[in-house]
């Protein structure tokens, strides 16, 4: 690589004060329907990420916000009961929201609401998986019970010091550990049932 291309690469990789400033977190309040606030919280919990990160991902792309704003029917949106909710988001996301809302003459709250509603297909898919997980959990419980019965039979027939008994016991202990893990996953998904 010659000096000229090294210099060009260095210039491209520089970050400006303004770039850093746009990543800075700011507090802002939106009035949103309660179910939309709940949707954001539930999906963030399911994904194991912060609401701030999720909301930033949904609102930082101003081109997408422009497309969403064009689809808004402000005469029908926003009629439901709204609750003020303060969020921490990046300055760049807030700037995108404010810019698009002003240019498209759409209330900021409606713009954020429709951005969050893009998560609806995700929660529907996750709820479907959650229901299937609960069914599988019941089958896992039956599997553990059958395994315990087999282990008891092996103990009576072979004794606790037999290799086969120890293998079966090890599998049962692993299955019980996995059962506990699955219960935790299902517990994490329980708020979706109320949504």
């Amino acid at each position: 690589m010659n000096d000229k291309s090294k210099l060009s690469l260095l210039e491209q990789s520089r970050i400006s004060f303004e770039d850093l400033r746009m990543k800075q977190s700011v507090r802002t309040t939106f009035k949103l329907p309660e179910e939309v606030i709940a949707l954001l919280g539930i999906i963030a919990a399911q994904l194991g990420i912060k609401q701030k990160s999720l909301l930033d991902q949904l609102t930082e792309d101003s081109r997408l916000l422009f497309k969403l704003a064009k689809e808004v029917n402000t005469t029908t949106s926003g009629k439901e009961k709204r609750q003020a909710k303060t969020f921490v988001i990046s300055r760049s996301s807030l700037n995108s929201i404010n810019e698009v809302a002003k240019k498209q003459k759409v209330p900021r709250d409606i713009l954020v609401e429709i951005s969050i509603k893009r998560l609806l297909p995700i929660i529907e898919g996750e709820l479907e998986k959650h229901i299937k997980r609960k069914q599988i959990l019941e089958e896992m419980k039956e599997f553990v019970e059958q395994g315990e019965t087999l282990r008891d039979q092996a103990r009576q027939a072979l004794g606790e010091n037999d290799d086969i008994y120890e293998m079966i016991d090890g599998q049962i202990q692993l299955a019980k550990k996995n059962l506990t893990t699955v219960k935790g996953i299902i517990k994490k998904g329980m708020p979706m049932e109320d949504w």
Side-chain angles (χ1 to χ4, degrees):
M1 196 183 296
N2 62 31
D3 289 342
K4 199 176 209 178
S5 35
K6 284 181 185 177
L7 183 61
S8 175
L9 183 61
L10 182 61
E11 287 173 356
Q12 291 174 2
S13 66
R14 283 190 183 147
I15 190 162
S16 71
F17 177 77
E18 188 60 26
D19 292 336
L20 292 172
R21 191 172 162 281
M22 294 308 279
K23 297 288 182 195
Q24 181 183 30
S25 295
V26 293
R27 288 184 171 284
T28 189
T29 302
F30 301 107
K31 286 188 173 181
L32 301 170
E34 291 176 11
E35 58 271 4
V36 171
I37 295 168
L39 174 63
L40 183 69
I42 290 168
I43 294 295
Q46 275 299 107
L47 295 173
I49 61 175
K50 294 181 179 179
Q51 287 187 31
K52 175 211 181 304
S53 300
L54 183 55
L55 190 55
D56 277 340
Q57 288 179 35
L58 294 170
T59 59
E60 66 189 355
D61 184 352
S62 56
R63 287 179 296 186
L64 180 59
L65 287 178
F66 271 110
K67 288 179 185 175
L68 292 172
K70 288 179 182 178
E71 296 174 13
V72 170
N73 180 354
T74 54
T75 59
T76 59
S77 295
K79 301 275 185 191
E80 43 296 88
K81 184 180 174 195
R82 294 178 168 272
Q83 174 181 332
K85 171 79 172 154
T86 300
F87 292 97
V88 177
I89 61 173
S90 71
R91 187 178 299 277
S92 63
S93 292
L94 183 58
N95 286 351
S96 292
I97 293 166
N98 289 338
E99 175 189 347
V100 172
K102 184 177 179 181
K103 287 183 180 176
Q104 295 294 313
K105 295 178 176 54
V106 172
R108 286 179 355 144
D109 299 338
I110 299 293
L111 194 55
V112 171
E113 177 185 344
I114 60 172
S115 294
I116 294 171
K117 282 184 175 178
R118 291 175 39 223
L119 298 171
L120 284 171
I122 293 172
I123 198 168
E124 290 165 0
E126 284 301 308
L127 183 57
E128 206 172 289
K129 281 185 190 176
H130 173 74
I131 291 166
K132 290 176 183 172
R133 286 182 188 119
K134 286 175 71 174
Q135 293 167 346
I136 290 171
L137 175 65
E138 293 307 312
E139 292 176 23
M140 286 178 73
K141 287 177 183 176
E142 289 176 24
F143 174 77
V144 168
E145 287 173 12
Q146 290 170 358
E148 287 174 331
T149 300
L150 179 61
R151 181 186 59 194
D152 293 343
Q153 290 171 354
R155 181 189 304 121
Q156 288 176 352
L158 306 169
E160 289 187 13
N161 294 327
D162 189 83
D163 290 342
I164 292 177
Y165 168 82
E166 289 176 0
M167 283 190 296
I168 294 170
D169 186 57
Q171 291 299 313
I172 297 307
Q173 297 309 318
L174 179 61
K176 284 182 172 181
K177 182 180 175 187
N178 289 338
L179 193 63
T180 301
T181 302
V182 171
K183 286 178 182 176
I185 291 168
I186 290 171
K187 184 177 181 182
K188 189 173 106 173
M190 291 303 285
M192 289 189 294
E193 292 184 13
D194 298 330
W195 191 83

